[in-house]
Structures are given as structure tokens and as C-alpha cells.
Amino acid sequence: MKRALSLALAVLMTAAALLCFAGCSKETDALIGTWEGDVNYAPLFNQMIQSVAGEGLAEYWTVEEFRLTLVMTFRDDGTYSMTVDQNKLDTAIEQLKFKLSNGLRYFVQDLIDASSSTQTVDEFMAEKGIAPDALIDQALGQEIRDQMVADCTFDGNYKAEDGKLYTSAGLEFSIDEGMYEIYEITQNTLTLMSVVNNGGASFLNEAFYPITLIRIQ
């Protein structure tokens, strides 16, 4: 009887272990592939402008949208990579330049309207030595564009468990148990609902969530 009970317990423990392994494997398998989705970086951009330009000019440079298209790939070896669609980034930057250029002109026009000057916006800026397009091109030049790409490019390790996505900030680092993302997944849609950060380092700002990614491969 004792031997039979021990054998039964051993069988049950083995079955439980296999079920656990199968469950974890199935959850990870659902993530494997390449996903793409837009993240609106406008809130972060507006915070940066506020700190640099002050309330006066920042009001004219507030943007509603500055969307970057993230591409995330999860592999069956437990590693992932994230990058940004660089062609769409270039388009977003050009749209941002147009918005900032117009904002600067509106700012100058309001300054003129509040004074007794009869100058046009172009005359005022020429007198002050302001070349708005050149100024904005310099502020959002190749160096800034390349830095945006670098800031959105990661390789690391990951695991998925009970609807939580754990990642590391590099392949040389172990998975950070202090930070994870709550996620939901269907066959073709991965939604990162929120981030839980207990001292870990998230590669995304909390203001970006939820993030919806579509399977592209």
C-alpha cells in the first residue's frame, strides 16, 4: 500500500510538472513571431519641450501626435528584439518639423500683434536673425534621428507567465523580475496593457500604455 501510494504521488507530480511545462510553453509559443504597432510619443515630447522652451513657446509647440512604429520579434530561444520602423520615423520627423515651424511663426505673430510693430513675421525673424527652418532642421537633424532609433532598439531575454511579460534590457542580463508588462494576446493582436515597475528598468514610458501590436509574421 505504501509503495502504491508513493508511486501514485510520483505519477501525479510528474503529470503536474508536465502540465506546467506545457502551459508555460503554450503561453510563450503564442508570442513567437514579429509584431508591429504605433506608439504616440507626443506626451514625452511635450514634457521635454516644456522643460526646454518654457511655458510661452511650449504652448505653440505642443503636439497631439508623434507616432513611432515599433517592431518587436519574439524567438523560440527565449530572446526578443525591438526596433523602430525607420522609414515611418523619417515621415514622423518631417511632420513634426512642419508643426514646429508653424508653431514658431504663430508665436512670433502673437508677439507682433501684442506690440505696436507693423512688421511681418518674416521681417521680424530676419531682423532678429532667426531662420526657423534651419533652426528646426538642426534641432531634429540626423544625430537626433539616430538617437531615437538607438533609444528604441533592444535585444534581450524574455519569458511569458500568467499574462505577464518579463524582459531583460540586454542579452547579457537576466530577466528582471521587478518589472513586467500585463498583456493580452489573440492570434493576431498583442496588447501590452500596462507596466508594473517595482524598481526595474522599463524600456517604455508608462504614458504609452496600452500598446497594441499586430502580428506581421
Side-chain angles (χ1 to χ4, degrees), residues 12-61:
L12 285 173
M13 289 174 67
T14 301
L18 288 172
L19 285 171
C20 179
F21 177 80
C24 294
S25 175
K26 184 177 180 180
E27 188 169 354
T28 300
D29 285 350
L31 281 170
I32 293 172
T34 300
W35 308 79
E36 180 181 274
D38 289 349
V39 176
N40 187 11
Y41 275 70
L44 199 61
F45 176 81
N46 291 333
Q47 289 176 15
M48 180 187 69
I49 289 296
Q50 184 77 28
S51 65
V52 173
E55 292 185 7
L57 183 54
E59 178 185 347
Y60 294 82
W61 276 356

Side-chain angles (χ1 to χ4, degrees), residues 66-93:
F66 180 42
R67 294 191 174 275
L68 274 63
T69 301
L70 299 181
V71 181
M72 296 191 71
T73 299
F74 297 94
R75 306 179 187 87
D76 58 8
D77 63 355
T79 64
Y80 80 96
S81 62
M82 184 178 84
T83 188
V84 62
D85 186 310
Q86 297 186 33
N87 290 329
K88 292 181 180 179
L89 172 61
D90 291 340
T91 299
I93 289 176

